[in-house]
Amino acid sequence: MAQKGGAPFLLSLFMFLSMLSSLCDCHPHPVQSMSSMAAVRAVSNHTTKKASDIAAEVAGYADVAKQIIDLAVFGAAQNRSYRRLAHFTDTIGNRVSGSQNLEMAIKYMYKAITQDGLDVHLEPVKIPHWVRGKESAEMTVPRAKNLAILGLGSSVGTPPEGIEAEVLVVESFEELNRRASEAVGRIVVFNQPFVSYGETVAYRAFGASEAAKVGAVATLIRSITPFSINSPHTGWQDYKDGVKRIPTACITVEDAELMWRMAQRGQRIVVRLTMGAKTLPDADSFNTVVEIKGWQHPEQVVLLSGHLDSWDVGQGAMDDGGGAMISWEALSLIKDLGLRPRRTLRTVLWTAEEQGGVGAQQYFNIHKVNLSNFDLVMESDLGTFAPMALQFTGSEAARKVMEEVVKLLAPINTTKLETHGEGTDISPWMQSGVPGASLHVADSRYFWFHHSEGDTMMVQDPQDMNLCSALWAVVAYVVADLEDMLPRKPLD
């Protein structure tokens, strides 16, 4: 409610700031860029350049790239993104979709970015509002043991008195189907091994509905992580239409293995599960949009992004506070150097990513009318550990350009361009043919902390965030300032 009441003020403030920026060009174009632009000024946006011409144009940004890197890694902006993230997460905490904390986070970022001297506005969206409520689980047979659980997003609750039932432990959907007759009236425990997140997450997403099909009364899912210190990991789950909705929660790897071993010995296992989860009507929220307007083609956009929401455990520092902060920091670095690219740089801090990219999908639905003006979409949502490469999806001609761009990152040793840019929030754009990019970081520990109480500032390293910010800023600025937009590949 407070967010709605502040909207007229925020809108008026944004209009005032926009008017000031139009009266005073506070971001003059750098001399270094002007020299490279002059060499190719006669080439139209629709002309195919020779590889040597592209290489020469991009190489002309070497000095600018070094300035950005020096400022981020060694200069006055050193550790700034880390400090911003620490203050933000320490002040707000976790920020689940629909919560007051998320509303506070959006207000916090609006104020902070305004004070940073960047243009910022809010775009309204509707987002899911699921509330965890009180929850507990206890094994009562063959011995008493409290089970650490986290209810899964969108789960229904149990009756107030809870559910107490025998347990059936399985290691796969195939085993569940083979033993379907044993599942009736039971709590199904999935003890699936971790293969990869992309493969194993299906048990979290669909385990409840698959178990309900064969008569189970609830499910407990082994947390989707390769490493555990008795830490449950939550996440979104999807009920299938036409299937009874049963309560579902994640348990620790240790407890899933414990019950599997007991079951292998033929021991009878009974668990009492209590969950107060409920889904409320969709809530009002906002995507937070920050811009440096392009000097020549302001209608053309290079978009950087991370998501502002998190789960309701930990601090949401890694997922995805770090990605949000480096996407803000990239524009701060460019502003601080007095740079203003040919095209608009636009950072979007998404809302409700964890519920399936809800805020981003609504943004796409509104802005896809201008699809041809989106030059590159970028998302950081796999942590801000030490950067190793840039991942890219686009045409072969665009890849040739990006291969030259990443060469500018030689001072921080991240000159590798990999395939497959990824990100829930930018996927609608990439599926529509817009080139996309994401960070490949040293993420071997990412799923240790993912969606758990362990996602705190202790995971973050300031130097790693400096490097990620530098990479993000260099790539975004150079692509936004090149003479031509990145070539598109035709859609099938």
Side-chain angles (χ1 to χ4, degrees), residues 280-328:
L280 302 176
D282 285 355
D284 293 320
S285 189
F286 299 89
N287 290 316
T288 305
V289 182
V290 192
E291 287 189 333
I292 295 175
K293 287 286 188 183
W295 67 268
Q296 184 178 29
H297 299 293
E299 75 286 357
Q300 296 174 0
V301 176
V302 169
L303 185 148
L304 310 84
S305 68
H307 66 86
L308 207 55
D309 67 301
S310 72
W311 277 105
D312 56 344
V313 289
Q315 288 183 292
M318 179 191 74
D319 184 16
D320 181 34
M325 289 299 156
I326 68 164
S327 296
W328 167 21

Side-chain angles (χ1 to χ4, degrees), residues 222-290:
R222 172 174 162 158
S223 289
I224 314 302
T225 179
F227 176 80
S228 178
I229 49 172
N230 208 46
S231 49
H233 296 241
T234 190
W236 195 251
Q237 70 90 37
D238 291 297
Y239 288 122
K240 293 187 177 178
D241 292 340
V243 178
K244 183 180 178 181
R245 299 186 171 198
I246 60 175
T248 181
C250 60
I251 58 175
T252 69
V253 172
E254 291 86 343
D255 285 340
E257 287 282 314
L258 169 66
M259 287 187 277
W260 180 81
R261 291 193 302 271
M262 289 176 168
Q264 291 299 106
R265 298 185 191 113
Q267 292 176 284
R268 178 172 176 263
I269 306 168
V270 176
V271 165
R272 182 187 302 117
L273 175 67
T274 305
M275 294 175 60
K278 57 184 176 180
T279 298
L280 302 176
D282 285 355
D284 293 320
S285 189
F286 299 89
N287 290 316
T288 305
V289 182
V290 192

Side-chain angles (χ1 to χ4, degrees), residues 63-75:
D63 288 344
V64 177
K66 189 173 187 304
Q67 287 179 40
I68 294 171
I69 291 168
D70 286 348
L71 178 60
V73 180
F74 308 109

